[in-house]
Amino acid sequence: MKTTISAVLFALLATPALAAGNLGSKPTALPELVVGTGDGFGVSQATYDMETGKSYSLMIKATGAQECAFQAKSFFSSVWLRKVEAGGLEIKAPYLNELEFENAAEAEIFVVPIVPGEYVWECEGLADKGLTGTFIVK
């Protein structure tokens, strides 16, 4: 993990910013991600395409059919996490480990991707049953 954070910091310091405007405002809304569809092991969308230097919001909803510890560790370590909105709260933190959905609930994440790559997301322990997907950052 130290290497990834170092690589992100190096990329930020060694490369001039190419984005114009305020990255903290007017995010592009990605199609919402619903986990636990169908038999409880389905997802509404498995792949999300993004570009570095653009602001995005993603609403993640859990149906409650299965508990879901939503994880995307390598993705979360390669983005600027602006905030998370959940349960009427706005949470601002430098890093996110997981979002744990024990029942039907929703959370919206606001991010700016920094490092290109393909990043797997999953509900911990349920990827082999279908609760998984990919963030593709170009």
Side-chain angles (χ1 to χ4, degrees):
M1 183 166 126
K2 249 184 178 177
T3 304
T4 303
I5 292 171
S6 297
V8 170
L9 289 174
F10 177 77
L12 287 172
L13 297 174
T15 307
L18 300 176
N22 182 353
L23 293 178
S25 66
K26 298 181 186 174
T28 299
L30 295 167
E32 92 180 2
L33 171 58
V34 181
V35 295
T37 62
D39 63 355
F41 296 103
V43 297
S44 61
Q45 183 165 332
T47 304
Y48 288 88
D49 294 310
M50 293 177 248
E51 293 180 31
T52 58
K54 292 188 177 181
S55 182
Y56 295 93
S57 65
L58 174 63
M59 176 65 75
I60 304 169
K61 293 184 177 181
T63 64
Q66 299 292 328
E67 286 189 25
C68 173
F70 183 88
Q71 298 179 341
K73 291 177 184 180
S74 58
F75 176 72
F76 291 143
S77 68
S78 68
V79 300
W80 170 42
L81 177 66
R82 287 188 43 230
K83 64 181 174 176
V84 177
E85 292 182 359
L89 298 172
E90 187 172 291
I91 304 157
K92 295 183 179 177
Y95 186 78
L96 185 62
N97 278 328
E98 73 179 27
L99 297 170
E100 189 167 336
F101 298 96
E102 294 180 0
N103 300 301
E106 63 185 42
E108 188 170 15
I109 61 172
F110 295 79
V111 299
V112 177
I114 298 169
V115 181
E118 291 190 16
Y119 304 98
V120 174
W121 63 264
E122 67 180 7
C123 290
E124 183 182 32
L126 299 174
D128 61 337
K129 296 188 183 255
L131 290 171
T132 186
T134 309
F135 294 116
I136 300 171
V137 179
K138 296 179 182 177

